[in-house]
Every structure is written in structure tokens, then in C-alpha cells.
Amino acid sequence: MTDVVRRPGDPAGASRARPKKQEQEKASEEVTEVAPGVLRMQLPIWMPGLGHVNMYGLIDDKGLAVVDPGLPGPKSWKALKSRLATAGLRLKDIHTVIVTHSHPDHFGGAGRIKHETGAELITHKAFTTWSLDRRSQTLSTIDAERLEQEAIDEAAAYTGPSFEELPALAGDFDEFTVEDQRQSVPWGGPTPWGGSTHPMPSLKRRVMIRAMRLVYRPPEPTRRVRHGSSIRLAGRDWFAVHTPGHTLDHLCLYDPEHGVLLSGDHVLPTITPHIAGSANGDALHSYLATLDLVAQLDGVKLGLPAHGHPFDDVPGRVDAIKEHHAERTEALRAVSLAIGPAGVVELSHELFPQRHWGVMAESETFAHVEHLARAGQIERWNEGDRLVYRVAPLPGG
Ligand SMILES: [Zn+2]
Ligand SMILES: [Zn+2]
């Protein structure tokens, strides 16, 4: 899915002439060792604000595990094999694939690797992706290059799965089920905040997307891990850290021996990941809580993100992202105070410049306004099929 690109603390309306962000850089052909036994291999992606995804290769004496093997499609597949060759590795050396979360730039190549190598495929317990429509399986010829573009378009339009409430940090992170995830909003379906619908791709495009899925199958995990599960990679134990917020099924991996955090899209070096609101929970609360969780990991010293360069100050980056959301939340309160009772669409139009209007901006606004509502700082009620919000009067005000 798309990560909305904004600088932390930068209202979306600021100047358009910005230096290129590291997450936007085109995929380099270089393969670099970024931590002991951990290779960074960049795969090309074509999504708003993103130029590459980092596939990490974790080397051990049996071969390697790869994390987040890129978008579906022949271009990414070719780059993946070429990067392996640069590192002196072959496809069949891959014994494990780990997917940090259910966005196509992360899971796209996973099903094909599993199919061709028999690799184990590890995700969080709640992982799910688009479901294959069996009725479309009669398509006989597939133009892979053309389909790739369709998949990319879909990736750009992807609005993310639904969200359930985060249990207390001290409690169980794993009460989510795959079924919770499957209740994501369908194409053309109403949004939970009302007043708009999710965009429906053209019939031709929907058919093409389904055909694409036959070649680059949505991955079916062979092992679903829980918060705290241990996974042996690169000859040492890593711990699964469940980090819901960007998606419900987001997983980071932590290597306490070297203080290395594979941070996926949870913590990125210069941009903030999109937080999709849900009718069922406070996604922003979950996100902020699990940011604290990774910042507080004992001895964390190196973040390996899914987009952008390795970064060394994970707690500092967490502080900056939290600050961004605090500013956003404050801006939302101010807008609500200024315009009075309003729905999510209206609020998002006040918060985002017109070029960003649409379901993504609304979904992000929904996450923030629900966060305030659940904290008792904004009132919410239904008007027809639409949720309406108003800043709660200050005590004595
Ligand atoms: Zn993502
Ligand atoms: Zn991503």
C-alpha cells in the first residue's frame, strides 16, 4: 500500500519543491552488508513517494532467509534474482521468506519464491491479503508485463486492511484473527466514516489484477508467529515484535545480540507511515503504543527499515514520529474548533491540500479523530450514514 509521504511535523500543504527523500531513491543495484550476516538488496517499486523496497537477506550455513521480497511482477522478480546473483546466491538458496505486513510491495514476490523453492513463509498471525476470486481462474493467457502495471496501480490504490483494538501493552498482542483482517473494506464499498466510498477500479483492471494473482499468488504463510515468538535467522535468534498501526498484522524483528531491529514500515527514516482508521479500534493508539515498544527494546542500536537507509537512532526517530502525530492531532482539534460539527471528509479537506484529497487522506483523518474521540476530547455522533465530530467543550469553558 502507499505510504503517504510527509515530513514529520510538516503539514501536508507545505512547499512542493522538496529535496528527494531517501525513501524515494531508485533501487540501487548494490548489495551491502548492513549488519553481521544481513544484506540489504533494493528492489524497484512504483508507488507514491517510494522508489524502492529493501529486501534483507539473512545469511546462514543453510542459505538465506529474505525479508519483504518486493512487489509482484516480472520487473521486481528479475531485480530480485539479479541482486541474489550479485551476492553470489541463487534463488534456491532461499529457505525462508519473512513478510513484515500485508502490503503488496512487501509480500509481492513471497508466493512465487515459496512456489519455486519450497521456502518456509513466515508472517504475523493476523496476516492476510487480497483473496483470490475463484471464478476468474478460467483466464488462459496472461500478459505479465501488462499485468504488472495493473498490480502496481492496485498497490497505489490499496487502502489497507481493517483494524481491531490493541490490547494493553502488558497483555496479549495476539488475540487478532485472520478473520478480523479479512473484514477489510472491499472495492467500491462504503467507508466506515460515511460520506464517501472506496474507489472501484474499472472492470478490465479488476480482471487483470485477478489474473496477475494467478502468477504471483498471494502468499499463504507456512508459519504464523505471535508477539515474542523466536525465529532463528542469520545464525541467531530474532524476536517477533507485533507492531499494529500501519497495518494490523505488522511485524518487526529484533536481534538482541546485535541490537538490530528490522523495522518494516513501522519506523521509517524520514517519512511517516500511513495510519488507516477503523471503525473497530483506535489504530493511532496502537501505533503510538507500539512505537514506544520498539524504542524501549533493550539495547536497540540499528534500525533496518523497509524503505530508505539503515538508521542508528531508533528512539530518536520514534520521538520525531510521535511529535508529528501530536501536531496532526492538535491541527485537527483546531480545525474542528474553527468549523464546528463536521464529518471526516470535510475535516480531511481542511487538513490536506486538494491534491491529497481522497480515501487515503480521509482514512488518516479518521484515525486521528477516532483517537481524540476515544480519549474523550472530541464528541462523535451519527447523522444518517455519516459520523460527525465536534471538539468537546473545555471544562468550565
Ligand atoms: Zn506498508
Ligand atoms: Zn512499504
Side-chain angles (χ1 to χ4, degrees), residues 1 3 50 53 101 103 105-106 246 265 306-307:
M1 97 105 227
D3 294 294
L50 296 171
V53 60
H101 65 291
H103 284 159
D105 51 326
H106 299 258
H246 175 56
D265 281 357
H307 312 280

Side-chain angles (χ1 to χ4, degrees), residues 183-309:
Q183 289 170 12
S184 55
V185 182
W187 286 330
T191 59
W193 51 91
S196 68
T197 56
H198 287 269
M200 172 74 97
S202 70
L203 176 64
K204 179 175 156 260
R205 200 165 125 189
R206 296 203 301 279
V207 169
M208 286 303 152
I209 289 166
R210 288 189 172 124
M212 183 78 187
R213 293 169 188 170
L214 299 182
V215 186
Y216 293 92
R217 287 173 181 281
E220 199 43 60
T222 57
R223 182 180 170 200
R224 292 175 178 272
V225 296
R226 307 168 67 88
H227 185 64
S229 295
S230 122
I231 308 171
R232 195 139 181 99
L233 302 164
R236 53 196 188 261
D237 288 329
W238 297 65
F239 292 93
V241 185
H242 183 209
T243 44
H246 175 56
T247 63
L248 167 61
D249 58 8
H250 197 289
L251 197 61
C252 294
L253 289 171
Y254 187 54
D255 159 22
E257 193 181 326
H258 299 87
V260 176
L261 178 74
L262 284 161
S263 65
D265 281 357
H266 188 57
V267 188
L268 295 166
T270 74
I271 62 175
T272 60
H274 174 69
I275 306 300
S278 155
N280 304 320
D282 185 345
L284 183 56
H285 169 77
S286 303
Y287 182 62
L288 297 173
T290 54
L291 277 178
D292 283 337
L293 184 69
V294 297
Q296 289 158 11
L297 288 170
D298 212 18
V300 61
K301 9 180 227 252
L302 178 68
L304 298 178
H307 312 280
H309 305 175

